Amino acid sequence: MVVPTSRQPSSVVGLSPRSPSSASRSSPAAGILVGLRRTLGRSRKETPPLPSPSITIEDVARGARVSVATVSRALRDQPQVNERTRKRVVTVARRLGYVPNRAARSLVVRATQTLGLLIPDATDPIHGEIVTGFEQEAAAHEYTVMLADGFDDPARERRALEMFAMHRPDGITLLGSMLPQRVTRLMARTSPVVFVNGEHPHLAGYRADLTHGCIRADDIQGMDAVVRHLFDSGYRRLAYVAGPGNASDLTRRDAIARALETMSPSEPLRVYGALPRNGDTNGTLAAEIAKDRPDALICYDDKLAFQLIDQLRGHAVRVPRDIAVVGFDDIPFARMANPRLTTVAQPAVELGRRAAAMLLTAIRTGTMPRSIRLPVQLVVRESTINPAAQGGRRPRT
């Protein structure tokens, strides 16, 4: 059941790898190469000359008796050039061995047709979906994406920003960054910067986000929906299992506490500390939870929820028979686990797409759009079905 309050297969890209079908839209240079390949396919009996860096676009223009602008449009297969002229230009370019010099073009127009994207963890499925949305929007506007992994480490993030500054992308987006937003914009120099789900702890509550150039999933709305659902299902003693102490962790914890205080002032929120970064191999946290037996656990994210569900089995605690469990993110495994996990679904692909669109608008107009929050969805599944409310029967799968 989905409670109103979109997803595509995840894809983590490196330095703009693409399928042949998407390459034609990825950049002007790629479009030129596709145009050349089309002509090569029509004239396979001829042996093309080796590409020559000394042949310029002006040489092609003279050979085809057209302007430089027409050559550029023809080799990019743009509709302003008729088919007859395009064929003539491509034939001349092939005969001369012309290849587009993108670096030279960048120096002339002071644009690289590239975007920098910094993510905190390339192995995280939600980050992969955000990258997918970002890459799709960038490709639709003929931009290439440079990807860097910050590994949740501010020092690594700084080095990645220095790398971006060296390559001079037209714009930069930071996902889940631990760096202060104003410092980041100074480090990015002249490149516009967009922040997705900024994670510096001082951003908790999200009121300190910059007024322009920030985009988030609405965690507060999601946690309100979770608490309402648990109360409606008969759960009263709620506990939160903390995450890494970043902005989203603190925001989710505080949102749950406020909602719980409104609904049941006599039942304060129990907060369990975060697991070690390398995992709780001894099951110490699960043992503590098994002893306390809260009615329901709200976990920082889905991965944490699955780890606890597994460890609680070792203490003869079953979900949802003994404890209800809620996650956050709605990673693909949440729909297939046993029990299937109740969670808050982030619009991950849309976050990536909107971030790229925001950045491209800033590049095109020189003005950064206002910051926005995207709504989330509470997805109710088996892990919070109250057996008592079902007449003691186990929930049906």
Side-chain angles (χ1 to χ4, degrees):
M1 176 175 67
V2 177
V3 181
T5 46
S6 318
R7 295 295 237 273
Q8 300 183 18
S10 66
S11 169
V12 179
V13 297
L15 188 55
S16 69
R18 281 186 178 75
S19 65
S21 61
S22 63
S24 62
R25 303 187 302 273
S26 64
S27 69
I32 292 171
L33 292 175
V34 169
L36 291 173
R37 281 199 297 268
R38 288 178 178 171
T39 297
L40 287 173
R42 300 185 186 111
S43 307
R44 293 185 182 277
K45 293 181 180 180
E46 301 177 24
T47 301
L50 293 175
S52 173
S54 64
I55 299 299
T56 68
I57 193 170
E58 288 82 5
D59 295 325
V60 178
R62 282 192 294 270
R65 300 186 303 280
V66 296
S67 68
V68 169
T70 298
V71 172
S72 177
R73 294 189 186 102
L75 295 182
R76 292 169 62 187
D77 207 19
Q78 293 189 346
Q80 299 97 318
V81 181
N82 65 52
E83 183 65 13
R84 182 177 178 181
T85 301
R86 190 193 69 79
K87 287 181 178 179
R88 186 168 76 250
V89 169
V90 172
T91 299
V92 171
R94 178 181 175 277
R95 187 179 71 241
L96 295 176
Y98 171 71
V99 291
N101 187 337
R102 186 169 182 179
R105 178 184 178 276
S106 299
L107 292 174
V108 173
V109 300
R110 295 183 180 274
T112 62
Q113 287 294 119
T114 60
L115 304 177
L117 177 59
L118 175 62
I119 64 174
D121 180 4
T123 66
D124 188 287
I126 286 298
H127 299 161
E129 294 190 32
I130 293 174
V131 171
T132 295
F134 189 92
E135 169 72 7
Q136 289 173 343
E137 185 69 14
H141 292 83
E142 300 185 335
Y143 275 78
T144 297
V145 176
M146 294 189 296
L147 183 67
D149 194 327
F151 299 96
D152 288 310
D153 181 351
R156 286 179 177 265
E157 289 187 26
R158 290 178 182 273
R159 288 198 292 273
L161 284 175
E162 292 171 358
M163 181 272 291
F164 284 154
M166 290 174 58
H167 289 274
R168 303 178 70 178
D170 296 338
I172 299 170
T173 293
L174 284 79
L175 167 60
S177 174
M178 293 296 292
L179 297 176
Q181 292 174 347
R182 296 186 188 278
V183 172
T184 300
R185 285 199 165 154
L186 289 174
M187 293 182 64
R189 301 177 186 175
T190 59
S191 297
V193 179
V194 167
F195 300 91
V196 182
N197 293 342
E199 292 290 14
H200 191 283
H202 88 272
L203 296 174
Y206 306 151
R207 289 184 296 273
D209 271 335
L210 298 177
T211 57
H212 293 73
C214 298
I215 180 170
R216 288 189 179 278
D218 196 339
D219 292 3
I220 298 172
Q221 170 210 1
M223 291 297 96
D224 285 344
V226 167
V227 173
R228 286 196 303 272
H229 161 65
L230 292 174
F231 259 70
D232 290 345
S233 300
Y235 301 105
R236 293 295 179 269
R237 297 176 59 247
L238 308 186
Y240 177 67
V241 186
N246 56 17
S248 59
D249 176 36
L250 301 177
T251 300
R252 293 169 194 176
R253 180 201 66 191
D254 293 347
I256 295 167
R258 287 194 301 270
L260 184 59
E261 185 177 3
T262 299
M263 294 186 178
S264 180
S266 62
E267 294 286 353
L269 179 67
R270 172 78 158 91
V271 177
Y272 294 101
L275 293 177
R277 289 185 66 89
N278 59 351
D280 184 13
T281 56
N282 296 323
T284 305
L285 178 58
E288 184 180 0
I289 293 171
K291 180 180 179 181
D292 293 345
R293 291 294 180 97
D295 293 342
L297 294 176
I298 306 171
C299 298
Y300 167 71
D301 63 13
D302 291 348
K303 294 182 293 184
L304 176 58
F306 289 129
Q307 184 174 354
L308 286 174
I309 289 173
D310 181 62
Q311 291 183 351
L312 286 170
R313 291 191 184 102
H315 297 276
V317 177
R318 296 291 184 266
V319 176
R321 184 192 68 187
D322 303 310
I323 294 178
V325 175
V326 181
F328 198 102
D329 284 337
D330 195 26
I331 63 177
F333 190 65
R335 307 156 209 172
M336 302 177 285
N338 183 20
R340 289 187 279 271
L341 184 66
T342 293
T343 186
V344 177
Q346 291 200 62
V349 173
E350 184 65 8
L351 275 169
R353 192 193 69 77
R354 295 285 288 271
M358 182 180 286
L359 188 58
L360 292 170
T361 297
I363 293 168
R364 185 179 66 254
T365 66
T367 301
M368 181 64 71
R370 291 192 63 84
S371 298
I372 58 174
R373 293 187 197 175
L374 299 186
V376 297
Q377 291 180 323
L378 172 64
V379 184
V380 178
R381 299 192 181 103
E382 296 165 342
S383 67
T384 57
I385 295 178
N386 190 338
Q390 301 290 319
R393 297 188 303 273
R394 293 185 62 81
R396 292 177 294 176
T397 59

